[in-house]
Amino acid sequence: MIRLEGVTKLFPGQARPAVDAIDLEVPDGRTCALIGASGCGKTTTLRMINRLIEPSSGRIVVGGEDVTRADPVQLRRHIGYVIQGVGLFPHKSIADNVATVPRLLGWDERRVAARIDEMLGLVGLDPATFRGRRPASLSGGQRQRVGVARALAADPPVMLMDEPFGAVDPVVRGRLQREFKEILARLGKTVVMVTHDINEAIRMGARVAVMREGRIVQHDTPDRLLGEPKDPLVMDFVGTDRALKRLSLMTAGEAASLATPPPGVPVVESSSSVQDALSAMLSAGSDRVAVRDPDRGSRVLTLDAIRALAAPDQPASASEL
Amino acid sequence: MTGAYVTWIAGHRSILWRTFAEHVTLSVTALAIVLVIALPLGIGLARRPRLAAPVVGIVNALRTVPSLALLVIMLPVLGTGFLPSVVALTLYGLPAVLVNTVAGLRDVDSNIVEAARGQGLSEGQNVLRISLPLATPVILAGIRTAAVQIVSAATLAVFIGGGGLGELISAGMGLLDIPQLVIGALAVALLALVTEIAFGATERLVAGRLLGSTA
């Protein structure tokens, strides 16, 4: 678990704190996405957790230990860290990059070698092909994978990720987001990630914390954040298409009801998002889709059901009309 | 014409060898002291940008002092001979190495340094394993410049009794002994050229090893 208690950072010579007495709790095995405009304090918050920046006041507890009292160098060896520019060491092979923290921790070389191959396999890179190569010969997406493999190598319980998918194109980004979300969940990592992309935040985060001027404005599940944005600025940030974004959080299988689909309606997989189901309806000119679900029999998702999902009776959405 | 030079060399092997050895000893000693001073100083300064600016400024000003002036200034302070010559040559070679060390370390991609800190490398490990290796090509370029400057300037050490190949040139001029003058000059030119080529080759080799795609 990661817990921030009244954490403040005032940089010398600045009138206002960059981070202003924030409280935040990330339960074990969950991902929290910090999101906000440039200069909102999200990166400063992240970097205080592994003490690349020293907090001015407040307490930061990681796994029950107050990190503000720990030796920062030792602390960082037990916290995974992935940054936007990846920051691979260009003069070292991929294997040596991945081996950085295990070697700092004094693992014996056989264990290190086995771990390198295991980690490269985990992030979808063939160890035999990539082990001996240098970062310069890899694509942006491959480097990002190595960056994550390096951060995971010593099996830290906690991962900090600062715009981890910033340097790759949208198609690769989507794929990496899906893969890494699955990997981090499977390994049970507790993650704090920083992003300025609301889609990335709602896709990766079990919780999303929207920051502004050093404070957390709203800390909620993606669904509640999109459904009930607390104020106009959060509303603005989550976007005018927030109703559509919410539909991307739910699968067609979850939203469909038991019924025999009429012939001729489009068919979607139960794992497709409700957003995709709506798209299938609109492009076929139909008001319902059949949801293919081998385990639960034939199911149907109607346009009316989607309407009810997208706009339940809520003051926030009513005031917009 | 060439006959006269061959004859001169044949008749003056020992003096040619002695002055050459003196020249190399002066240069190597000065360069070694330059490295011992400039590398640690540069590493220290690279981490203190506020201090680095004035120090680099002062050291750069040293560069504008003509080499002969620098040597002659040593006269009243340290007298004549080997020591004042080495001190002057050290001062002369210092700026190139110091400036390149500071610049090379500071130009290392901040993302890489940040990632290294974030993985839990201590400040010392960060310098030794990450920053210094990545700055090596720039630092080596500074060392090459300093080496060539020192070898060239060591020619003037003769004016404060430091010996070296400058002795042949100065004696050749005094006696209007053209073969001696020309051979002294050629030897200095050749030594500077060889220094340049040798250091240049080392630089390319290291840069290739450092960033090449082969592991």
Side-chain angles (χ1 to χ4, degrees), chain A residues 47 50 52 73 76-77 79 81 83 85-92 100-101 104 132 134 150, chain B residues 111-112 114-122 125 129-130 133-134 209-215:
Chain A
R47 289 159 52 100
N50 66 356
L52 285 170
V73 170
R76 290 177 202 135
R77 293 176 186 176
I79 295 180
Y81 187 49
I83 58 174
V86 191
L88 294 182
F89 309 136
H91 59 306
K92 292 179 182 286
T100 306
V101 183
L104 286 171
R134 295 287 180 95
R150 179 174 65 176
Chain B
N111 253 322
I112 294 169
E114 164 84 9
R117 285 185 69 210
Q119 308 295 317
L121 274 80
S122 67
Q125 287 168 333
R129 298 186 193 177
I130 308 295
L134 291 176
R209 280 272 174 86
L210 212 63
L211 300 173
S213 53
T214 50

Side-chain angles (χ1 to χ4, degrees), chain A residues 60-239:
Chain A
I60 299 173
V61 180
V62 177
E65 193 196 349
D66 184 353
V67 302
T68 46
R69 284 157 211 259
D71 169 41
V73 170
Q74 289 299 328
L75 172 76
R76 290 177 202 135
R77 293 176 186 176
H78 299 282
I79 295 180
Y81 187 49
V82 183
I83 58 174
Q84 180 175 16
V86 191
L88 294 182
F89 309 136
H91 59 306
K92 292 179 182 286
S93 68
I94 299 306
D96 287 340
N97 268 282
V98 174
T100 306
V101 183
R103 286 198 179 126
L104 286 171
L105 293 173
W107 292 18
D108 69 73
E109 274 307 307
R110 279 179 57 182
R111 189 170 166 215
V112 170
R115 190 67 180 167
I116 291 166
D117 289 3
E118 188 189 345
M119 285 299 107
L120 289 177
L122 181 74
V123 299
L125 297 173
D126 174 39
T129 312
F130 287 95
R131 224 186 270 129
R133 286 169 69 175
R134 295 287 180 95
S137 69
L138 269 58
S139 72
Q142 289 167 338
R143 275 181 229 166
Q144 204 60 257
R145 288 171 190 273
V146 175
V148 172
R150 179 174 65 176
L152 286 169
D155 201 18
V158 169
M159 293 275 285
L160 306 178
M161 306 174 95
D162 189 355
E163 305 254 5
F165 310 108
V168 292
D169 64 71
V171 176
V172 175
R173 189 181 308 154
R175 195 161 64 221
L176 290 177
Q177 284 167 348
R178 275 191 298 279
E179 279 184 46
F180 288 151
K181 184 182 181 180
E182 194 272 320
I183 290 173
L184 293 169
R186 179 152 45 92
L187 299 177
K189 300 298 179 196
T190 310
V191 184
V192 178
M193 71 176 289
V194 158
T195 178
H196 61 260
D197 175 359
I198 182 69
N199 291 311
E200 183 164 287
I202 62 171
R203 206 172 290 165
M204 301 282 296
R207 292 294 191 96
V208 178
V210 181
M211 291 188 67
R212 188 173 61 236
E213 292 173 353
R215 291 167 185 271
I216 293 176
V217 187
Q218 186 169 1
H219 180 212
D220 251 323
T221 62
D223 190 54
R224 282 172 55 94
L225 188 75
L226 294 170
E228 302 168 45
K230 248 182 197 163
D231 67 20
L233 263 153
V234 176
M235 206 180 282
D236 194 41
F237 205 83
V238 296

